[in-house]
């Protein structure tokens, strides 16, 4: 009886374990486990009490007390690898670029369980983040920010691009803006390191956000800036992308935040009718691929790409970021993707997790 209530609460509050944590079980008469949702725990206790089921509550609500109030972290390296388990050999789940705020849930050795702005929950190495309590986090958010817009580059120790570096940089990195001198911006990294980036490789964050126009043309232009970037399972940066990391990065470059995985992105936006062909498709539409649902198995979404037009072409990360076509007569026709095409979706700014033109992550 108790298990049915636990399952019902899990289904209601944490149907996707990638974005919500509810690991609770009943051992004898003791409820054990943990959750990051106090409301889920409260709902479970209410259900058990209403059913007159006796229990002892030992469910831990995260963030854990051992963090001593340091419930925030900011990524302090160019790209932080966020893994499925607290070890370097674990699967790469996602990435976060410098300046990204993370909600910290608990610690395990030198690793922290964090939740990213797109709600993904996974583990990050302490070396890639700067822990902060609420006061320090609010203080970090106050100053003006700079967004790095060059695909790759460096922050330098002095105003000398031939000299020592303090960090590598990738598109999307966010730093504190301290001033400008000799063709460089004077910046501060989230962990307090001070350095310089070339002024033609970065822009004021608010100016960048205000200038984003996620039009069909701009989505295509930014996607082609990533042609040739290598495939990396779990990658979401110019250092390497998987299929959904690619579409996520393209939309981020246009000011919009998508969920992490293809199986999450497919639930956004409006369905595009492709039953009679591709004439209804617009550049920027997302194409999803996989295995259709069967009587005994749910649908499996395993790949995503973005329509760019032309000769029925789409751009995607498969081996590397490349362009293929749905036209059997085209030299770059991709028969395997054509066969496993599921459906296409059009993603409006209102359908995304966050529109950075209206709500800032960084200030």
């Amino acid at each position: 009886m108790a298990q049915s209530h636990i399952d019902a609460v899990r289904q209601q509050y944490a149907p996707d374990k990638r974005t919500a944590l509810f690991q609770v079980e009943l051992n004898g008469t003791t409820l054990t486990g943990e959750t990051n949702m106090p409301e889920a725990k409260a709902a479970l206790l209410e259900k058990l009490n209403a059913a007159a089921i006796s229990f002892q509550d030992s469910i831990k609500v995260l963030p854990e007390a051992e963090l001593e109030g340091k419930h925030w972290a900011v990524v302090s390296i160019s790209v932080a690898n966020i893994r499925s388990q607290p070890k370097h050999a674990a699967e790469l789940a996602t990435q976060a670029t410098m300046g990204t705020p993370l909600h910290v849930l608990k610690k395990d050795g030198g690793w922290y369980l964090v939740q990213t702005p797109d709600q993904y929950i996974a583990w990050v190495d302490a070396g890639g983040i700067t822990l902060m309590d609420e006061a320090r986090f609010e203080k970090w958010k106050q100053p003006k920010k700079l967004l790095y817009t060059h695909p790759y580059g460096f922050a330098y120790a002095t105003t000398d691009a031939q000299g020592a570096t303090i960090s590598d940089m990738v598109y999307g990195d966010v730093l504190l803006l301290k001033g400008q001198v000799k063709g460089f911006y004077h910046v501060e990294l989230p962990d307090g390191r001070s350095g310089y980036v070339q002024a033609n490789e970065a822009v004021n964050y608010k100016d960048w956000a205000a200038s984003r126009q996620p039009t069909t043309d701009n989505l295509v232009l930014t996607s082609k800036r990533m042609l040739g970037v290598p495939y990396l399972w779990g990658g979401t940066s110019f250092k390497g992308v998987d299929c959904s990391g690619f579409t996520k990065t393209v939309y981020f470059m246009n000011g919009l935040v998508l969920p992490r995985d293809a199986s999450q992105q497919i639930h956004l936006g409006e369905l595009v009718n492709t039953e009679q062909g591709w004439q209804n498709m617009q550049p920027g539409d997302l194409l999803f691929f996989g295995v259709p649902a069967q009587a005994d198995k749910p649908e499996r979404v395993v790949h995503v790409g973005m329509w760019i037009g032309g000769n029925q072409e789409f751009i995607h990360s498969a081996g590397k970021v490349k362009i293929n076509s749905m036209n059997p007569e085209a030299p770059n026709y991709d028969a395997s993707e054509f066969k496993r095409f599921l459906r296409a979706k059009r993603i409006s700014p209102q359908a995304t997790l966050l529109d950075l033109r209206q709500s800032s992550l960084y200030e």
Side-chain angles (χ1 to χ4, degrees):
M1 175 68 80
Q3 189 60 51
S4 65
H5 291 301
I6 293 172
D7 292 342
V9 170
R10 180 181 295 111
Q11 183 59 38
Q12 179 182 354
Y13 288 91
D16 188 341
K17 64 181 181 180
R18 294 168 293 186
T19 59
L21 183 63
F22 189 78
Q23 296 175 345
V24 174
E25 58 185 30
L26 186 66
N27 292 314
T29 60
T30 303
L31 287 170
T32 61
E34 59 189 14
T35 180
N36 67 323
M37 297 172 293
E39 64 275 20
K41 175 180 175 178
L44 176 60
L45 301 190
E46 183 179 347
K47 284 178 178 291
L48 295 178
N49 284 324
I53 298 173
S54 61
F55 62 89
Q56 181 179 346
D57 172 23
S58 292
I59 300 173
K60 180 184 291 187
V61 176
L62 304 178
E64 64 182 6
E66 290 81 355
L67 293 172
E68 299 178 337
K70 293 182 178 178
H71 298 162
W72 291 97
V74 177
V75 176
S76 54
I77 57 177
S78 64
V79 180
N81 293 324
I82 303 179
R83 301 187 179 275
S84 59
Q85 299 292 329
K87 53 187 178 181
H88 286 290
E91 175 187 44
L92 183 63
T94 189
Q95 293 179 318
T97 48
M98 182 184 292
T100 301
L102 307 171
H103 191 208
V104 184
L105 300 175
K106 68 176 183 177
K107 182 181 181 182
D108 184 347
W111 293 81
Y112 290 88
L113 185 67
V114 297
Q115 189 165 33
T116 62
D118 55 17
Q119 306 304 307
Y120 221 79
I121 297 174
W123 294 88
V124 66
D125 175 11
I129 60 174
T130 298
L131 288 172
M132 299 181 182
D133 59 19
E134 189 73 30
R136 185 178 174 190
F137 180 62
E138 289 301 319
K139 184 178 179 181
W140 178 84
K141 289 171 66 177
Q142 294 307 312
K144 290 182 179 180
K145 302 295 191 303
L146 196 72
L147 185 125
Y148 195 78
T149 56
H150 212 55
Y152 311 98
F154 295 93
Y156 300 95
T158 66
T159 54
D160 178 7
Q162 304 304 314
T165 64
I166 63 166
S167 178
D168 69 318
M169 305 293 296
V170 299
Y171 190 112
D173 285 347
V174 172
L175 315 98
L176 299 185
L177 176 58
K178 299 179 71 68
Q180 189 169 1
V181 58
K182 298 180 181 177
F184 286 80
Y185 285 116
H186 184 201
V187 298
E188 182 180 309
L189 277 59
D191 58 7
R193 285 177 291 165
S194 178
Y196 299 86
V197 297
Q198 295 187 74
N200 63 351
E201 296 181 354
V203 297
N204 178 284
Y205 171 76
K206 283 189 175 179
D207 292 344
W208 173 85
S211 70
R212 297 303 88 193
Q213 297 180 15
T215 62
T216 56
D217 287 345
N218 284 342
L219 286 166
V220 172
L221 285 172
T222 52
S223 72
K224 289 182 176 180
R225 288 188 68 185
M226 299 189 72
L227 281 168
V229 170
Y231 181 91
L232 175 65
W233 178 271
T236 63
S237 76
F238 268 84
K239 291 187 175 183
V241 285
D242 60 17
C243 64
S244 55
F246 168 67
T247 53
K248 181 175 176 62
T249 300
V250 169
Y251 269 74
F252 173 84
M253 291 167 72
N254 286 275
L256 303 173
V257 177
L258 298 183
R260 171 64 187 90
D261 292 340
S263 59
Q264 298 167 313
Q265 293 176 9
I266 197 171
H267 297 299
L268 302 181
E270 297 181 0
L271 183 68
V272 179
N273 187 341
T274 57
E275 292 182 3
Q276 306 301 321
W278 308 103
Q279 65 273 13
N280 295 323
M281 294 290 288
Q282 293 180 8
D285 291 346
L286 299 185
L287 298 86
F288 295 92
F289 307 85
V291 181
Q294 300 176 2
D296 58 339
K297 294 181 181 179
E299 176 182 79
R300 288 181 59 238
V301 181
V302 300
H303 190 58
V304 60
M306 193 186 85
W307 192 259
I308 60 172
N311 189 7
Q312 300 177 10
E313 289 181 328
F314 65 101
I315 185 169
H316 60 143
S317 180
K320 60 180 177 294
V321 176
K322 61 183 181 180
I323 295 172
N324 284 110
S325 174
M326 287 296 205
N327 183 355
E329 305 301 320
N332 58 343
Y333 172 60
D334 193 325
S336 61
E337 297 298 1
F338 182 88
K339 290 177 183 177
R340 64 177 188 168
F341 172 74
L342 293 172
R343 55 190 177 276
K345 301 294 285 290
R346 184 161 301 147
I347 315 297
S348 68
Q350 295 76 23
T352 61
L353 294 180
L354 195 64
D355 185 337
L356 296 175
R357 298 169 298 176
Q358 300 174 358
S359 178
S360 174
L361 284 176
Y362 309 101
E363 294 184 352

